[in-house]
Amino acid sequence: MTQVPTAAPDAAAEIASGKRFAFGANWQAYRRQIDERRIAQAVASLQDMLGATSLTGRSFLDIGSGSGLFSLAAHRLGARVHSFDFDPDSVASTIAVRAAFGSGTSTWTIERGSVLDADYLRRLGTWDIVYSWGVLHHTGSMWEAIRGAVDCVASEGKLFLALYNDQGLTSRLWWWTKRMYCGGPRPLRDMVFWLAFARLWGPTTVRDLLRGRPFATWREYATRGPRGMDPWRDAVDWVGGFPFEVTSRERLIASLEPLGFKLDRVVSVGDGLGCNEFVFTKRPG
């Protein structure tokens, strides 16, 4: 079952105006690389973070499903899954992944929607597991989006978030980099991308060369990482990923505790680049 709410905002207009990166187009390109090895990595990642070998009998809401890989992982683990995304290309990617790798699709629904649409979220109700990895900081209104995700969690349910780490000035500089990439003319975009790419991968490439293992990290990215991602697509996503907001671990935890959430687990990037991962449980009552 796939539905498109008529009230869904126009992602294409925001992309065309330079206010938003074309996340869905990037996910469509990545989707063609999905295979059983990557699926197994995604399944293992969910099992590890949620501390569960099976999700049978549980409901799973994927906010910002992207390629659809982790919705598929939850489906493979036995959950009843609902996926939604703001970007129609991401919705199309999730549908294609379900068609290629899913089974029993009556337990996996997909539609277009926005986490910033309060009426839409109310219609969804509450879920045993609410999952949003690397999404809410790209909405343009991160704290509103976090609150929307929070409201979807059932009593004693799990909230699994991954949000960009606040690096202070470094994060501000990345904001401007991403804004120039999305909003500038093609020559500026190309220049911004390759300069940023050199910053992201240059030091690692040099280290690999000095160790006599040229490009080893690049080659092993998908097989050694826990999420089955692709280094090129991740780099494009990082440089282009706008809107862009960040939060510290401490601020997020302090914000959710008064709302009845207990931190179960955090995987921290320390002071570095990337996403901190959090799993919370909603206290009963």
Side-chain angles (χ1 to χ4, degrees):
M1 175 182 178
T2 304
Q3 299 175 346
V4 180
T6 56
D10 188 353
E14 291 195 0
I15 293 167
S17 67
K19 296 178 180 178
R20 176 172 296 276
F21 174 63
F23 293 100
N26 197 47
W27 284 124
Q28 285 274 36
Y30 167 76
R31 172 182 60 80
R32 299 178 182 95
Q33 302 177 43
I34 293 176
D35 54 20
E36 289 297 333
R37 176 179 55 79
R38 293 180 190 268
I39 295 167
Q41 287 176 289
V43 167
S45 173
L46 277 185
Q47 289 173 317
D48 176 52
M49 285 299 292
L50 295 173
T53 57
S54 171
L55 299 180
T56 299
R58 305 176 78 180
S59 57
F60 184 97
L61 179 65
D62 189 354
I63 298 177
S65 57
S67 69
L69 176 60
F70 278 81
S71 288
L72 173 63
H75 174 71
R76 288 276 181 98
L77 286 169
R80 175 173 63 86
V81 178
H82 182 80
S83 315
F84 74 89
D85 202 293
F86 175 73
D87 191 313
D89 282 330
S90 291
V91 175
S93 179
T94 303
I95 292 169
V97 165
R98 183 181 64 180
F101 300 103
S103 61
T105 53
S106 63
T107 61
W108 180 2
T109 56
I110 304 166
E111 60 187 15
R112 186 176 175 217
S114 171
V115 71
L116 301 180
D117 184 340
D119 289 337
Y120 174 67
L121 295 185
R122 273 193 292 273
R123 291 197 298 272
L124 292 180
T126 58
W127 297 75
D128 298 324
I129 300 164
V130 174
Y131 173 89
S132 191
W133 210 105
V135 173
L136 305 183
H137 48 233
H138 290 315
T139 60
S141 187
M142 182 180 69
W143 289 104
E144 181 184 351
I146 291 171
R147 185 56 193 254
V150 160
D151 289 343
C152 291
V153 184
S155 179
E156 301 186 75
K158 301 285 186 181
L159 176 65
F160 183 172
L161 300 178
L163 296 168
Y164 279 139
N165 187 41
D166 188 350
Q167 295 182 279
L169 177 60
T170 299
S171 294
R172 312 291 94 74
L173 293 174
W174 276 116
W175 188 95
W176 282 106
T177 299
K178 293 163 183 283
R179 182 68 182 91
M180 285 190 292
Y181 177 84
C182 289
R186 184 57 183 267
L188 177 62
R189 290 180 59 188
D190 290 344
M191 181 185 73
V192 167
F193 176 79
W194 288 111
L195 287 173
F197 185 81
R199 166 65 184 84
L200 292 169
W201 276 96
T204 300
T205 301
V206 170
R207 281 197 301 272
D208 284 349
L209 288 170
L210 292 175
R211 292 169 179 168
R213 302 178 69 240
F215 306 107
T217 303
W218 183 273
R219 291 195 309 271
E220 297 167 358
Y221 190 93
T223 57
R224 295 206 172 195
R227 292 177 47 80
M229 294 293 106
D230 174 76
W232 177 258
R233 288 297 148 198
D234 273 4
V236 172
D237 180 90
W238 171 256
V239 177
F242 192 83
F244 172 72
E245 293 180 77
V246 296
T247 185
S248 68
R249 297 176 296 280
E250 296 77 13
R251 184 179 178 191
L252 181 69
I253 294 166
S255 297
L256 294 192
E257 282 183 342
L259 301 178
F261 285 82
K262 175 181 71 70
L263 180 67
D264 292 340
R265 185 175 181 190
V266 60
V267 176
S268 170
V269 295
D271 296 326
L273 199 67
C275 289
N276 296 308
E277 298 179 75
F278 308 85
V279 177
F280 297 88
T281 297
K282 185 174 183 179
R283 296 185 183 92

